[in-house]
Amino acid sequence: MLIAIDGPAGAGKGTVARTIANALQFRHVDTGAMYRAVAWLARHRGVDLADSAAVVDVARDASFELSTRVVVDGHDVTGDIRTPEMDAAAAIVARHGDVRQMLVQRQREMGRAGRVVMEGRDIGTVVFPDAPVKIYLDATPEERARRRALDPAHAAGKQGASPDQVGQIAQALAARDQSDRTRAVSPLTRADDAVYIDTTGVPIATVVETVLTLARQRLALQ
Ligand code: DC
């Protein structure tokens, strides 16, 4: 009983995953928060993010609490991991194959219990290739940048972004997309058997309804 939701930043994964997890009373696991938390902890300990062996050491012993708050090794980093600096830092960490291996192992353990909605970039392709429900959410780069600029969970959204800032966010998103899509290990790509949903211009409630209907059918839930 696992629902895998993948797609680029700003496609609506977070809102959709959280809402359907609530509706189905499943656990919601945001794997992006794990990459962000490892990046935060590495920075906190003065570790060079480019040094994959050192970052693996950080990831190996880290404890994660992923609920409404994100707590790593006892540090509540909920707000601190969603800044432009941490966007870039997490993308660097996510390029290291051995760091990914370590986090994928943790994610498989979390998913094994079942009744999980897991969101990320490689859930349907690598972490749970046999997931019974796979969704790939997408939207145009412009729409994704606009959403990110309005997202109160992110630093930019909190301050209310100006049109100039939306332009900057769009550029940063494009750079991160490029990094996520072209990295050597587990690049962001749509699984062949994932249901593709373009959310551009679609109200989030409609996307949630579509995913819920599909999940209920595939998992034979009421
Ligand atoms: O979803 P997010 O923006 O919080 O993800 C942060 C970074 O981690 C982003 O660069 C993509 C990467 N990531 C990944 O490579 N694999 C995942 N399963 C989740 C996130």
Side-chain angles (χ1 to χ4, degrees):
M1 285 252 196
L2 193 125
I3 301 171
I5 302 187
D6 291 302
K13 298 189 299 293
T15 309
V16 170
R18 206 173 314 113
T19 312
I20 65 168
N22 274 338
L24 299 173
Q25 297 195 311
F26 277 27
R27 179 174 179 202
H28 168 219
V29 177
D30 172 6
T31 61
M34 297 173 77
Y35 288 92
R36 289 172 182 273
V38 168
W40 184 93
L41 199 57
R43 277 269 171 82
H44 180 70
R45 297 201 183 145
V47 165
D48 177 6
L49 297 181
D51 181 347
S52 85
V55 181
V56 166
D57 284 342
V58 171
R60 183 178 297 114
D61 303 322
S63 71
F64 298 97
E65 191 187 313
L66 305 167
S67 53
T68 44
R69 308 207 65 82
V70 179
V71 181
V72 63
D73 266 13
H75 304 276
D76 185 331
V77 295
T78 314
D80 292 350
I81 56 170
R82 303 200 193 274
T83 62
E85 293 73 29
M86 294 312 298
D87 287 348
I92 296 171
V93 162
R95 293 181 79 87
H96 297 312
D98 33 11
V99 174
R100 300 196 68 85
Q101 230 177 351
M102 190 137 291
L103 293 186
V104 165
Q105 200 181 320
R106 302 271 194 113
Q107 290 154 12
R108 287 186 178 143
E109 282 160 18
M110 292 177 191
R112 209 164 284 140
R115 299 184 72 88
V116 167
V117 181
M118 196 172 282
E119 58 161 302
R121 303 290 188 287
D122 60 344
I123 311 305
T125 51
V126 175
V127 185
F128 286 104
D130 298 326
V133 185
K134 294 186 192 179
I135 311 287
Y136 189 94
L137 291 186
D138 208 352
T140 60
E142 296 74 24
E143 171 107 0
R144 294 190 289 112
R146 208 174 48 76
R147 284 184 193 157
R148 182 47 56 88
L150 294 171
D151 185 347
H154 282 263
K158 219 169 266 160
Q159 292 148 13
S162 67
D164 266 7
Q165 284 169 319
V166 177
Q168 282 168 18
I169 292 170
Q171 275 181 6
L173 264 187
R176 207 144 65 85
D177 279 355
Q178 173 74 0
S179 172
D180 288 338
R181 289 195 162 106
T182 60
R183 66 176 172 233
V185 203
S186 311
L188 169 65
T189 168
R190 173 187 164 193
D192 291 338
D193 53 351
V195 175
Y196 180 89
I197 303 179
D198 182 351
T199 69
T200 310
V202 183
I204 206 74
T206 308
V207 180
V208 165
E209 219 30 66
T210 306
V211 176
L212 259 182
T213 304
L214 189 89
R216 286 195 170 115
Q217 275 169 4
R218 296 255 170 107
L219 300 174
L221 296 168
Q222 293 305 311

